[in-house]
Amino acid sequence: MKAVVYTEAGLPIEDPASLFETELPAPVPREHDLLVRVAAVAVNPVDTKVRRNQPTETPRILGWDAVGTVEAVGAAVTRFKTGERVWYAGSIDRPGSYAELQCVDERIAGHAPATLDDAAAAALPLTTITAWELLFDRLGVAEGGGEGQRLLVVGAAGGVGSILVQLARKLTKLTVIATASRPETADWVRTLGAHVVVDHSKPLAAELAAAGHPAVESIASLTQTHLHYDAYVEAVAPQGRIALIDDPEPIDVRRLKRKAVSLHWELMFTRPLFGTPDLVRQHEILERAAALVDAGTLVSTQGEHYGAIGADNLRRAHALVESGRARGKAVLAGF
């Protein structure tokens, strides 16, 4: 099968060797696996972080978002059959989606939404699982709950923020305060449902106070946590919650004690990495998300479309993600 891989970590994305095309043997499904013919992928920050920072002894296939068609199933598969169209984010400890064929555990895959084409659907799995787990599992907001409370989403125009804003607006009663630093990204998050938009390139606590929300009960920190941490300590309400997904410089969690604020990490790979007893929850999230998309409740967060899945186009998509200026998700479709 055709695959796009790297063999040397840390190369600048402009280097053709940072991602290149090769031929690899087709994967063989395990008992719970689906063998999927990949139709579309999306690029996430994790793709670029792994490429830069994780050495590999053999060609490594990146990619943790995909839409495709089931070609074969493992002996223990019960939720899918051949010919069905699926979407998933996969697991970081297995070969990724930058390939014509990929194996994925059925317990972390879902049936793709019928109303989206492959590229638009591929924009959603990883970020939807991340946002869903962050909002409902980590921050502890109940569906239909949160009335009278505020959620601050920092970095709201990115992939996770773009779906988190929608989930919070459509499935809870929270007041959603999004941050964006450019006119086009501010317009984007308003379109997705943010009640209030503030500029995170300015002093954030002052921005919140000027917007009439000096205190917030929940904070979703999606980028540059260490740069905004002073503002979080000031703005978070007593007994509030902060959830983060990035890899910040060290922060002093002791500063949260006076307000009895709790800090939560979200990593959507935790369930598949550890084979947790609730692993199937990611299947359930993707099934629910597909139904919400088909009902018109959620929309795709597709941003730039980089054409066919190949090394040149994937390098261009990685460059965009590394720039920190992506709006929504960078997607590719077809080989």
Side-chain angles (χ1 to χ4, degrees):
M1 66 174 184
K2 181 191 294 185
V4 177
V5 303
Y6 78 96
T7 55
E8 182 180 352
L11 295 177
I13 197 58
E14 297 79 17
D15 189 329
S18 63
L19 288 172
F20 62 93
E21 295 173 15
T22 190
E23 291 284 330
L24 294 175
V28 177
R30 305 171 186 172
E31 63 173 0
H32 286 286
D33 278 355
L34 312 175
L35 177 65
V36 178
R37 182 163 294 277
V38 175
V41 303
V43 175
N44 291 282
V46 64
D47 303 36
T48 69
K49 291 175 183 177
V50 171
R51 193 199 82 245
R52 292 196 306 267
N53 301 317
Q54 292 192 10
T56 181
E57 296 181 357
T58 58
R60 183 168 185 181
I61 308 171
L62 302 173
W64 292 283
D65 261 329
V67 172
T69 303
V70 178
E71 290 217 338
V73 299
V77 168
T78 61
R79 297 172 180 85
F80 300 89
K81 58 182 183 291
T82 58
E84 290 188 311
R85 184 167 171 261
V86 295
W87 64 344
Y88 54 89
S91 180
I92 199 168
D93 62 346
R94 301 190 66 181
S97 57
Y98 296 179
E100 291 180 299
L101 294 167
Q102 182 185 13
C103 285
V104 61
D105 192 304
E106 67 161 341
R107 293 167 293 185
I108 57 173
H111 294 89
T115 54
L116 293 182
D117 65 22
D118 293 333
L124 288 171
L126 183 145
T127 52
T128 298
I129 294 170
T130 300
W132 196 290
E133 291 182 348
L134 185 152
L135 181 61
F136 298 118
D137 296 350
R138 312 299 171 230
L139 291 177
V141 179
E143 282 197 52
E147 187 168 8
Q149 298 187 349
R150 290 146 294 194
L151 168 67
L152 173 64
V153 182
V154 178
V160 174
S162 293
I163 192 65
L164 178 57
V165 168
Q166 294 184 67
L167 291 175
R169 180 62 187 264
K170 296 297 182 71
L171 300 186
T172 78
K173 296 179 181 177
L174 291 164
T175 296
V176 182
I177 306 167
T179 80
S181 60
R182 292 175 283 145
E184 60 269 30
T185 51
D187 289 343
W188 169 259
V189 295
R190 287 191 188 96
T191 299
L192 296 174
H195 294 95
V196 179
V197 180
V198 297
D199 187 346
H200 58 244
S201 69
K202 300 177 180 178
L204 193 50
E207 283 281 291
L208 288 168
H213 300 283
V216 294
E217 288 74 20
S218 296
I219 298 173
S221 184
L222 309 181
T223 184
Q224 297 183 320
T225 293
H226 57 286
L227 297 182
H228 301 299
Y229 188 64
D230 288 346
Y232 296 165
V233 172
E234 180 178 348
V236 68
Q239 302 182 93
R241 294 188 176 202
I242 301 172
L244 57 152
I245 67 170
D246 62 338
D247 302 296
E249 299 296 324
I251 55 176
D252 185 358
V253 298
R254 295 172 299 181
R255 298 174 62 194
L256 304 176
K257 180 178 180 180
R258 185 167 180 266
K259 291 183 178 179
V261 168
S262 57
L263 184 71
H264 305 261
W265 285 101
E266 163 54 24
L267 179 67
M268 61 80 53
F269 291 124
T270 295
R271 281 170 161 144
L273 274 173
F274 291 94
T276 59
D278 62 351
L279 178 62
V280 74
R281 182 70 184 127
Q282 294 197 343
H283 164 75
E284 294 167 351
I285 290 169
L286 289 173
E287 292 285 283
R288 179 79 188 287
L292 290 167
V293 168
D294 287 340
T297 304
L298 301 178
V299 300
S300 174
T301 56
Q302 174 183 330
E304 296 290 330
H305 193 312
Y306 279 90
I309 303 167
D312 290 345
N313 289 341
L314 279 164
R315 287 196 299 270
R316 292 169 54 224
H318 274 235
L320 174 71
V321 172
E322 289 179 346
S323 76
R325 296 179 66 82
R327 188 194 72 174
K329 294 288 291 292
V331 300
L332 304 91
F335 280 89

